[in-house]
């Protein structure tokens, strides 16, 4: 968890000059995140830079989710098939999970046309409507 928090803070610090304090961990800041990803998708970023962006922007998305659901049971687990963290909300009653890095990677590669704010809204609605035994994964 401390690694994810550090990566999110590095993402915020990197873009602070450009956006000021608008990358503040709140849900409305996801529009800025999506704008950054759109710009990166249409640029000639090197593979290493894209990977940095996927990891750190994914950590920022986790930060927004953990702020939104700080009163709920939250766990970070390791998702072995993709070798990345997954945020799980609601255990033991239910499980609504978010693969943030993968979602960001798909936006960067243009393999997903779902804007990050819309993905987050769907994730949020699933958590709020979850019932015992539900198991959903958002990418």
């Amino acid at each position: 968890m401390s690694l994810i928090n550090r990566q999110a803070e590095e993402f915020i610090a990197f873009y602070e000059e450009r956006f000021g304090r608008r990358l503040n961990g709140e849900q409305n800041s996801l529009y800025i995140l999506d704008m950054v990803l759109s710009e990166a998708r249409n640029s000639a970023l090197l593979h290493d830079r894209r990977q940095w962006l996927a990891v750190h922007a994914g950590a920022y998305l986790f930060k927004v989710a953990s702020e939104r659901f700080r009163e709920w049971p939250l766990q970070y687990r390791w998702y072995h098939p993709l070798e990345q963290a997954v945020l799980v909300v609601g255990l033991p009653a239910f499980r609504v999970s978010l693969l943030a890095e993968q979602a960001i990677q798909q936006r960067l590669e243009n393999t997903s046309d779902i804007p990050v704010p819309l993905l987050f809204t769907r994730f949020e609605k699933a958590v709020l409507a979850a019932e015992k035994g539900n198991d959903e994964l958002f990418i």
Side-chain angles (χ1 to χ4, degrees), residues 25-51:
E26 294 180 11
Q27 194 170 344
N28 62 3
S29 69
L30 294 177
Y31 292 98
I32 295 170
L33 175 60
D34 208 53
M35 183 180 68
V36 167
L37 299 176
S38 289
E39 290 172 358
R41 183 174 52 247
N42 297 319
S43 72
L45 285 180
L46 297 173
H47 175 74
D48 290 349
R49 181 73 180 128
R50 273 187 197 273
Q51 187 59 34

Side-chain angles (χ1 to χ4, degrees), residues 72-75 88-96 127:
W72 296 65
L74 300 172
Q75 292 182 6
V88 182
V89 180
L91 286 174
F94 60 87
R95 180 171 49 195
V96 179
V127 171

Side-chain angles (χ1 to χ4, degrees), residues 10-70:
E10 289 172 2
F11 179 79
I12 292 167
F14 185 81
Y15 287 101
E16 186 171 14
E17 184 175 323
R18 181 172 176 194
F19 298 112
R21 295 283 178 193
R22 292 187 302 171
L23 286 171
N24 54 11
E26 294 180 11
Q27 194 170 344
N28 62 3
S29 69
L30 294 177
Y31 292 98
I32 295 170
L33 175 60
D34 208 53
M35 183 180 68
V36 167
L37 299 176
S38 289
E39 290 172 358
R41 183 174 52 247
N42 297 319
S43 72
L45 285 180
L46 297 173
H47 175 74
D48 290 349
R49 181 73 180 128
R50 273 187 197 273
Q51 187 59 34
W52 182 93
L53 187 56
V55 169
H56 289 75
Y60 182 76
L61 183 54
F62 280 148
K63 178 181 180 64
V64 172
S66 64
E67 287 292 320
R68 170 62 181 94
F69 295 109
R70 67 180 165 267

